[in-house]
Amino acid sequence: APHVSGQGFCQPPSTLPSRLAHALAGAADEEQFARQLNAFKDRETYLCDLDHVLTPGSDFLTLSRRLTALAEAVLGAAADFAWRGLCRRFGERRTVAGIPVRYSFLGLGKLGGAALGYASDIEILVVYSDSGTTDGPSPIANSEFFDRLVRELPRLVRAKREGIFHID
């Protein structure tokens, strides 16, 4: 067992992106993507929990940093998936002058402070640079595009109960 030999159950947070990409490989549709994403999330959360409980000297700071890194990776993958789907459907976001719209996802609360715990929900804010519309065959306002993007996240990242990984 890893904890007996001085190793943990969790792999380093730096390996999350590649391991997540591998876990999501072959997802053919939204439901399969969500199943694979949440299976990865739940397994990694469990391994973080095991490390926290079984590793002598384990502290809450280590657990919260691992959970925060996991949340960032999972949310990033979900946002990228939703983004690609919305772009296929509605096109790229443009300002009134035709310039591409820039945006940023911001973690608030415990996510933003890298302090996620067992009862932490995930609070995010999306900020974008300008009004305008998408440039696809069925254009929508940028505000609607980003609203749809944010609404997709809880459908893709599923919380088993209120608290950890519940997206606000």
Side-chain angles (χ1 to χ4, degrees):
H3 68 284
V4 174
S5 64
Q7 299 175 4
F9 291 95
C10 287
Q11 294 184 30
S14 61
T15 67
L16 277 169
S18 62
R19 291 185 300 112
L20 180 55
H22 180 73
L24 295 174
D29 59 28
E30 181 179 311
E31 186 53 37
Q32 186 177 15
F33 175 86
R35 273 196 315 272
Q36 289 173 216
L37 179 71
N38 286 286
F40 179 86
K41 170 188 61 76
D42 294 343
R43 182 177 52 254
E44 290 295 315
T45 302
Y46 176 71
L47 294 174
C48 288
D49 291 347
L50 281 179
D51 266 359
H52 184 65
V53 171
L54 296 176
T55 304
S58 177
D59 61 2
F60 186 75
L61 181 61
T62 300
L63 174 67
S64 64
R65 286 183 176 159
R66 287 178 173 167
L67 290 174
T68 300
L70 177 60
E72 289 173 347
V74 167
L75 282 173
D80 287 346
F81 183 86
W83 183 271
R84 288 189 306 272
L86 289 167
C87 286
R88 278 192 302 275
R89 208 165 147 201
F90 301 110
E92 299 293 324
R93 289 92 20 248
R94 302 282 178 192
T95 66
V96 175
I99 300 168
V101 170
R102 297 179 350 167
Y103 69 97
S104 182
F105 272 86
L106 305 172
L108 304 175
K110 291 186 178 185
L111 176 63
L116 286 180
Y118 294 114
S120 302
D121 58 357
I122 295 176
E123 298 171 313
I124 59 169
L125 175 68
V126 179
V127 179
Y128 56 97
S129 63
D130 211 337
S131 59
T133 60
T134 59
D135 65 2
S138 301
I140 59 174
N142 290 337
S143 58
E144 184 177 346
F145 181 94
F146 286 103
D147 182 62
R148 287 178 185 230
L149 178 65
V150 169
R151 289 180 188 277
E152 283 293 312
L153 296 179
R155 290 180 26 169
L156 296 171
V157 180
R158 299 170 183 155
K160 290 187 180 237
R161 62 188 186 283
E162 290 292 322
I164 192 163
F165 284 95
H166 179 271
I167 299 174
D168 271 346

